[in-house]
Amino acid sequence: MHHQTIAELVTGLRNKAFSSTELTQHYLARILTLDSQFNSYITISEEQALADAKKADERLAKGNAGDLCGIPIAHKDLFCTKGIRTSCASKMLDNFIPPYSATIVENCANAGAVTLGKTNMDEFAMGSSNESSFYGPTKNPWNTDCVPGGSSGGSAAAVAAQLAVAATGSDTGGSIRQPASFCGLTGLKPSYGRVSRWGMVAYASSLDQAGPITHTAEDAAIMMNTMASFDSKDSTSVNKSVPDYTKTLNDSLNGLRIGIPDEYFQEGLDQEVATLIQAALAEYKKLGATLHSVSLPHTHLAVPAYYVIAPAEASTNLSRFDGVRYGHRCDNPRDVIDLYKRSREQGFGEEVKHRILIGTYALSVGYYDAYYRKAQQVRRLIKQDFIEAFKSVDVIAGPVTPTPAFSLGAKTKDPVSMYLEDIYTLPTNLAGLCGISIPCGMSGNKPVGLQLTGHYFDEARLLNVAHQFQQHTDHHTKTAPVNSLTKPLILSNT
Amino acid sequence: MEWETVIGLEVHVQLATKSKIFSGASTRFGAEPNTQACAIDLAMPGTLPVANEKAFRYAVMFGLATHAEIGQRSVFERKNYFYPDLPKGYQTTQLDEPIVGPGSVEIVLDDGTTKSIRIHHAHLEEDAGKSLHEDFHGMSGIDLNRAGTPLIEIVSEPDMSNAQEAVAYAKKLHSIVTSLGICDGEMSQGSMRFDVNISVRMKGEEALGTRTETKNLNSFKFMEEAIALEVERQIDILEAGGVITQETRLYNGDTKTARSMRSKEDANDYRYFPCPDLLPVILDDDYIDSIRAQLPELPDARQQRFISEYQLSEYDAAILSDNTQTAIFFEQAVVICQDAKLTANWIMGELSARLNAEEKNITDSPISPEQLANLIERIKDNTISSKMAKEVFNALWQREDKYGSVDAIIKAKGLKQVSDSSALEAMVDEVIANNEAQINNYRNATPDKRPKMLGYFVGQIMKASKGQANPKIINEILLKKLNQLINNT
């Protein structure tokens, strides 16, 4: 059952080949026996999952169930789940059980989806390797010596290892697309405002956007049909009707204009990755698309701009974690300053502290103009670049990352090289556009992704363009070599 | 040396919206601690603010009432600092693009002249919670019911030159915001709080002196006292050759003392930046015009109307129009009794005195406008004397009659005034007959002394009638009879 996509499972559930309860039990058993190799889950919500499945089976029996009904998925651990710990992979929230659910969690629950658990991530979504988690790093199911990418690395690893059929993620600078790429999956970052941010613990509010990580574009379309909504509880949510993303998946690509930014194929790009991207573009030509060179001249400024804006927002978003009302509190504070200092000192990990410091600095009197204001100006230029490019093309294609998945520990000592991981994905967030990563081949035993960037609220087209590629290639059907003979989680003699 | 004081005010006005500025929690005052703080007010992870449209509407109303430019683009910023009663670690406020731009209000000075006080701007922001330092055994309690209550902070130019002007300005703002209905005006509940910036300089000097800010004064009286104290302190320092330190000060109304809270060197870097969770709000002309069209009558306009419509004196009109509730009370009573002057006198006299004595607002008056009007009607038709009216007023105030009927009280107390001339003439005759010596004195007195002597006879008659004789009519009859007596001899 775990080899199937959402689309296939929907048929199985409808045909009563299996029930949601059976499916859920199957996934739970896989998680319990296999995840010790990957550490992709922080919390397994077994009870909740089985209760969800039972309800889904009732709905399925009544015949009034939607596509996601009975489908076992996982949520990144920064989406608040009522009654289930939501840790953001931080010691700070190790004890935090929200009394409310994120809108996307609620949307999925209302559709009948089953919540298997909460996936690992970089602490507060700050990272590109999933190594900054308080609960330990997640490993890439394709090669457990490698990182799965981040920050939604747990979601990507869980789906790649078939420990969930799909998972939610969040993307602030590439946190869905990069792990999807590293794990051979499809990952969509919707346009800013398409998916509600309510209940998603904020990292950088003006950049954060939730999206799905799945095996196929078709599954991503099914997930988006449920995840996307206008939400009056999120002031940045855009009141725009949500199309049925599955309807246009089979539209012809004849005449599709694909833009190729020169700036994405320069120094730093791995040769093998470049070759796979070129091959994917050739495939698109066969499907009737035309390729056009475009210029995004401010691309080189995206990393510095992002690493001012995101930490600036993060530095104040994370001020609420002060040990006063919830979350980690130090023992025996002497006074309120001591309470703040030690609670935050103990509760936050290195990378989080690093970014709080950068952000605090960038917003300080005397530096604001040089850093924050300047970065906002750069952001407008980057946005302008895309708007200009989209005048002549329908989508923009390029690599997701300069290299395939790197080894665990390879970049932890060198934050700048880690930050450069995001060079091709950051501009999409800074501009607020939508982007998707789809598998386009292997570099050795490591998957490589193709990135497609779409115009504002053009997710339907991105999914169509991705789906058509997957109809004519099989990169997305390859699965990670998960050793199913691993010892089950039965425990040592005590 | 002659010193000159320069005062500027920052006034925090709590807006009378039902829910908070960025959440749906209630803003009602006086609830159990933390019962009116929802997940957003508690800054739970993942929660987001949504701006309350009513708060914008109220701020625009204030702007229009003070002839201000309305900021068509309004941006919220985060003001970052750590404090236990500030759950998010930042206050959402406005800085560069506030909702209300430069405006002004007129105040009346003691000598009757008016002065215009310029308003630099007014911005929307959220209130913080409260830290409670008592009853927690060396710890502090946090009540977040107030966190997120909408405020407008009204920042004046340094246009006031003494405490009286500052108080007049503050009272004027109070009158405007309560007339607009955008604030309940309850000073004791913190609905209006004042920060006073004070500096002194030598008369004739151009440059401003170093200023201090005395924060969080919550009554006109404390503000007046705090200003007087601070001006004196600054002048003392300067005259002794010292310099003023720029600092924030706290005034204690109980001990009548002030102390330094922090100096400029300790000031926070608030790291303001635009709040990414709230998009800029654009107010279009239609929106502003629609608010302008519904703007209620303002105190200045109302005063003019009271003068022309009710022929009140400027003074009476000013007092009655200043507070919307007083104005409403006045007009409701006048509609019934048709006597503006008497109504004005009763409201400004007996009613105000009683309300003040019991620290009540006119909205809490035990006597309704209708009852007061009925009382005035009975005075006008001579059923009762003014003196009796006070007794009836007392009975109404004490709610002696459960139906609160003026006529019922008059009847129950047997207060009916005797105005029947034949009955009164008999009483006058009796008093004249029984007071031969006084009559002789009266007769022998020079005419200019006589009016004063009349009081004795009136008093005798009132006594004989147990206070029920109509003194006005008695006066007439008595004069007539005494004149006859004198002329006949």
Side-chain angles (χ1 to χ4, degrees):
Chain A
M1 283 183 278
H2 58 269
H3 292 298
Q4 300 182 25
T5 62
I6 297 178
E8 288 159 353
L9 291 174
V10 168
T11 313
L13 288 168
R14 293 283 188 286
N15 296 342
K16 304 200 164 44
F18 43 81
S19 67
S20 173
T21 303
E22 288 165 338
L23 187 60
T24 301
Q25 281 167 340
H26 178 71
Y27 272 105
L28 287 170
R30 279 184 67 79
I31 296 167
L32 291 170
T33 52
L34 301 173
D35 197 41
S36 55
Q37 308 166 66
F38 312 117
N39 195 26
S40 66
Y41 280 85
I42 291 173
T43 302
I44 303 161
S45 50
E46 201 174 340
E47 244 175 76
Q48 171 86 50
L50 291 170
D52 290 348
K54 190 164 169 256
K55 262 194 261 168
D57 281 331
E58 286 163 13
R59 274 173 76 173
L60 284 159
K62 281 188 200 149
N64 60 352
D67 279 352
L68 270 192
C69 189
I71 303 294
I73 62 167
H75 289 299
K76 186 177 182 177
D77 208 22
L78 55 48
F79 294 108
C80 287
T81 40
K82 187 175 176 176
I84 302 173
R85 174 177 64 172
T86 299
S87 73
C88 291
S90 179
K91 181 180 180 184
M92 184 59 89
L93 291 179
D94 184 44
N95 63 0
F96 178 63
I97 297 174
Y100 47 87
S101 282
T103 297
I104 66 137
V105 169
E106 216 145 71
N107 287 351
C108 290
N110 291 341
V114 173
T115 302
L116 292 168
K118 307 293 293 292
T119 57
N120 207 344
M121 55 186 281
D122 280 299
E123 186 180 1
F124 283 106
M126 297 179 190
S128 310
S129 69
N130 234 78
E131 293 170 289
S132 70
S133 168
F134 171 63
Y135 302 96
T138 301
K139 289 166 188 168
N140 191 321
W142 291 85
N143 179 340
T144 50
D145 293 331
C146 285
V147 302
S151 64
S152 310
S155 290
V159 177
Q162 298 176 327
L163 306 180
V165 63
T168 56
S170 69
D171 191 317
T172 305
S175 285
I176 287 174
R177 289 160 291 159
Q178 184 248 22
S181 168
F182 281 11
C183 291
L185 301 168
T186 300
L188 175 74
K189 182 211 103 72
S191 309
Y192 189 76
R194 176 74 292 179
V195 176
S196 169
R197 294 190 298 115
W198 170 266
M200 174 169 74
V201 180
Y203 158 27
S205 312
S206 74
L207 300 160
D208 295 342
Q209 191 64 196
I213 294 178
T214 56
H215 286 289
T216 65
E218 185 183 19
D219 281 5
I222 294 170
M223 287 288 283
M224 276 299 285
N225 277 353
T226 294
M227 289 175 73
S229 64
F230 166 65
D231 186 1
S232 58
K233 289 191 286 190
D234 172 5
S235 306
T236 61
S237 170
V238 174
N239 195 351
K240 200 169 166 40
S241 65
V242 180
D244 180 347
Y245 292 108
T246 61
K247 268 208 171 131
T248 44
L249 289 174
N250 288 311
D251 287 1
S252 163
L253 299 192
N254 223 344
L256 178 82
R257 299 167 301 167
I258 300 179
I260 317 292
D262 300 336
E263 294 81 1
Y264 285 27
F265 292 89
Q266 290 167 6
E267 202 189 338
L269 179 62
D270 178 90
Q271 201 45 53
E272 224 170 324
V273 172
T275 308
L276 290 169
I277 301 295
Q278 292 303 341
L281 294 173
E283 185 64 35
Y284 272 115
K285 267 175 102 169
K286 279 198 254 168
L287 294 173
T290 54
L291 306 183
H292 307 267
S293 174
V294 293
S295 180
L296 301 171
H298 297 97
T299 301
H300 66 290
L301 296 175
V303 171
Y306 175 89
Y307 279 97
V308 168
I309 292 168
E313 292 182 12
S315 71
T316 89
N317 279 336
L318 269 60
S319 293
R320 66 188 59 199
F321 305 110
D322 56 7
V324 174
R325 297 167 309 288
Y326 50 76
H328 178 71
R329 174 186 284 211
C330 68
D331 291 330
N332 307 314
R334 282 192 312 278
D335 53 31
V336 70
I337 300 298
D338 185 46
L339 169 71
Y340 289 152
K341 279 189 177 165
R342 282 198 290 130
S343 298
R344 288 167 69 81
E345 158 73 36
Q346 295 162 6
F348 291 139
E350 280 309 302
E351 185 59 26
V352 171
K353 286 178 195 162
H354 196 171
R355 296 199 192 188
I356 289 174
L357 285 174
I358 295 173
T360 303
Y361 183 81
L363 291 176
S364 297
V365 165
Y367 299 103
Y368 183 90
D369 288 336
Y371 294 104
Y372 189 77
R373 197 184 298 281
K374 193 57 88 181
Q376 289 292 10
Q377 288 165 351
V378 169
R379 185 176 185 172
R380 277 192 289 278
L381 293 175
I382 287 169
K383 189 175 165 179
Q384 247 358 95
D385 283 356
F386 278 105
I387 288 170
E388 196 52 44
F390 278 120
K391 284 179 181 165
S392 55
V393 298
D394 302 310
V395 297
I396 290 171
V400 181
T401 56
T403 64
F406 48 89
S407 299
L408 283 154
K411 300 193 178 190
T412 42
K413 294 281 171 275
D414 183 0
V416 173
S417 85
M418 185 82 90
Y419 296 170
L420 286 170
E421 259 309 293
D422 305 330
I423 185 159
Y424 306 129
T425 48
L426 294 176
T428 318
N429 300 78
L430 289 169
L433 297 161
C434 54
I436 195 167
S437 168
I438 54 173
C440 68
M442 302 290 290
S443 170
N445 66 348
K446 298 173 185 175
V448 170
L450 167 76
Q451 178 173 222
L452 297 163
T453 305
H455 215 321
Y456 295 108
F457 299 95
D458 213 6
E459 287 80 3
R461 192 200 303 263
L462 272 192
L463 289 162
N464 162 232
V465 173
H467 180 68
Q468 285 308 302
F469 184 79
Q470 293 177 345
Q471 291 301 99
H472 296 89
T473 57
D474 64 356
H475 309 297
H476 63 287
T477 63
K478 298 210 167 67
T479 51
V482 177
N483 181 3
S484 55
L485 295 177
T486 336
K487 256 189 293 179
L489 204 71
I490 310 183
L491 312 152
S492 49
N493 26 334
T494 32
Chain B
M1 272 178 280
E2 205 172 346
W3 298 96
E4 188 174 63
T5 307
V6 179
I7 300 171
L9 251 57
E10 289 164 27
V11 183
H12 289 89
V13 173
Q14 279 187 353
L15 297 178
T17 56
K18 287 199 175 65
S19 58
K20 294 185 177 176
I21 185 166
F22 299 122
S23 85
S26 169
T27 55
R28 198 168 53 86
F29 179 84
E32 282 294 300
N34 298 308
T35 55
Q36 288 177 180
C38 70
I40 297 171
D41 307 322
L42 296 171
M44 299 289 267
T47 59
L48 294 169
V50 174
N52 182 344
E53 190 267 340
K54 239 343 183 337
F56 283 84
R57 178 172 294 272
Y58 284 0
V60 169
M61 286 169 76
F62 175 78
L64 293 173
T66 51
H67 324 290
E69 296 166 23
I70 305 300
Q72 300 209 324
R73 190 183 133 96
S74 186
V75 175
F76 283 105
E77 308 241 356
R78 292 181 181 178
K79 177 181 181 181
N80 294 285
Y81 64 97
F82 283 96
Y83 205 72
D85 60 24
L86 188 72
K88 294 190 294 291
Y90 55 82
Q91 181 194 30
T92 308
T93 179
Q94 299 187 310
L95 183 72
D96 291 334
E97 296 177 87
I99 186 160
V100 176
S104 66
V105 297
E106 302 273 311
I107 58 168
V108 180
L109 304 181
D110 286 346
D111 64 4
T113 60
T114 59
K115 179 173 179 178
S116 176
I117 306 296
R118 292 169 301 155
I119 293 171
H120 179 271
H121 78 272
H123 63 258
L124 274 168
E125 64 183 21
E126 59 184 341
D127 211 340
K130 274 184 193 159
S131 295
L132 309 163
H133 301 296
E134 284 157 28
D135 307 330
F136 293 96
H137 313 287
M139 298 196 280
S140 291
I142 306 293
D143 177 5
L144 295 176
N145 282 353
R146 200 181 67 179
T149 298
L151 298 176
I152 46 173
E153 180 175 337
I154 304 158
V155 181
S156 82
E157 296 286 358
D159 284 355
M160 289 149 278
S161 41
N162 55 50
Q164 291 69 37
E165 288 183 17
V167 170
Y169 166 75
K171 283 187 171 167
K172 188 61 178 240
L173 290 184
H174 184 271
S175 163
I176 290 171
V177 297
T178 52
S179 296
L180 291 170
I182 64 174
C183 173
D184 66 17
E186 298 292 350
M187 313 276 290
S188 60
Q189 298 176 3
S191 294
M192 235 177 142
R193 311 192 292 268
F194 310 102
D195 299 343
V196 191
N197 288 291
I198 302 168
S199 65
V200 297
R201 62 182 169 195
M202 272 205 277
K203 204 150 194 155
E205 193 105 350
E206 273 295 302
L208 291 170
T210 303
R211 71 188 153 88
T212 63
E213 181 179 22
T214 305
K215 276 187 111 67
N216 246 332
L217 299 160
N218 64 359
S219 80
F220 301 125
K221 183 167 154 267
F222 287 166
M223 188 169 89
E224 192 163 4
E225 291 168 2
I227 292 173
L229 191 70
E230 177 59 12
V231 169
E232 197 182 304
R233 188 187 72 92
Q234 289 191 15
I235 292 174
D236 285 350
I237 291 176
L238 293 172
E239 291 194 337
V243 287
I244 306 298
T245 314
Q246 186 171 343
E247 63 186 357
T248 303
R249 299 181 64 80
L250 271 186
Y251 177 73
N252 183 330
D254 294 330
T255 59
K256 314 281 179 218
T257 55
R259 65 176 171 86
S260 174
M261 197 163 80
R262 59 167 180 262
S263 75
K264 197 195 172 198
E265 285 70 43
D266 308 330
N268 284 313
D269 173 0
Y270 292 118
R271 306 191 313 280
Y272 282 96
F273 83 111
C275 178
D277 287 328
L278 293 159
L279 301 175
V281 173
I282 311 295
L283 305 176
D284 62 24
D285 289 338
D286 287 350
Y287 179 80
I288 295 167
D289 288 344
S290 76
I291 295 174
R292 196 193 314 270
Q294 292 167 28
L295 219 54
E297 186 178 41
L298 286 161
D300 288 350
R302 190 156 50 213
Q303 185 191 353
Q304 289 316 308
R305 184 168 64 79
F306 280 10
I307 292 169
S308 61
E309 197 172 322
Y310 301 115
Q311 284 80 49
L312 293 182
S313 71
E314 195 150 319
Y315 178 79
D316 289 3
I319 288 182
L320 291 170
S321 61
D322 203 33
N323 177 307
T324 304
Q325 295 310 323
T326 308
I328 290 172
F329 194 106
F330 167 75
E331 293 206 271
Q332 283 176 348
V334 172
V335 161
I336 298 168
C337 72
Q338 297 293 327
D339 193 320
K341 183 63 196 159
L342 261 184
T343 306
N345 290 347
W346 274 90
I347 291 176
M348 290 158 56
E350 199 66 16
L351 184 64
S352 289
R354 294 300 289 262
L355 290 171
N356 286 341
E358 299 189 14
E359 291 184 357
K360 279 192 164 93
N361 288 314
I362 196 156
T363 42
D364 306 321
S365 165
I367 296 180
S368 70
E370 193 187 357
Q371 289 171 324
L372 183 68
N374 292 153
L375 186 67
I376 290 168
E377 284 176 320
R378 293 294 86 86
I379 298 167
K380 284 177 65 182
D381 67 12
N382 287 327
T383 306
I384 52 174
S385 64
S386 297
K387 200 169 159 226
M388 291 172 182
K390 283 193 181 153
E391 208 177 328
V392 177
F393 184 95
N394 264 334
L396 287 169
W397 188 274
Q398 310 290 352
R399 297 183 190 277
E400 280 178 21
D401 178 79
K402 64 178 168 176
Y403 305 108
S405 155
V406 169
D407 288 338
I409 292 172
I410 291 172
K411 198 171 164 201
K413 292 196 169 290
L415 287 174
K416 241 173 159 30
Q417 179 170 245
V418 179
S419 301
D420 172 29
S421 337
S422 55
L424 291 175
E425 272 189 48
M427 288 186 205
V428 172
D429 289 341
E430 199 182 326
V431 167
I432 290 173
N434 293 342
N435 290 283
E436 209 174 325
Q438 278 77 9
I439 294 292
N440 281 332
N441 286 345
Y442 185 87
R443 196 193 327 248
N444 297 334
T446 53
D448 62 309
K449 296 261 168 65
R450 284 177 185 160
K452 246 185 160 179
M453 303 171 78
L454 206 61
Y456 171 80
F457 302 109
V458 175
Q460 292 296 309
I461 296 163
M462 292 305 286
K463 210 165 149 189
S465 74
K466 298 193 174 71
Q468 297 192 352
N470 183 331
K472 207 171 132 204
I473 301 177
I474 286 178
N475 250 315
E476 284 166 16
I477 297 172
L478 193 63
L479 258 178
K480 192 179 78 194
K481 298 233 173 204
L482 287 174
N483 283 340
Q484 278 171 10
L485 224 71
I486 294 163
N487 294 338
N488 291 348
T489 47

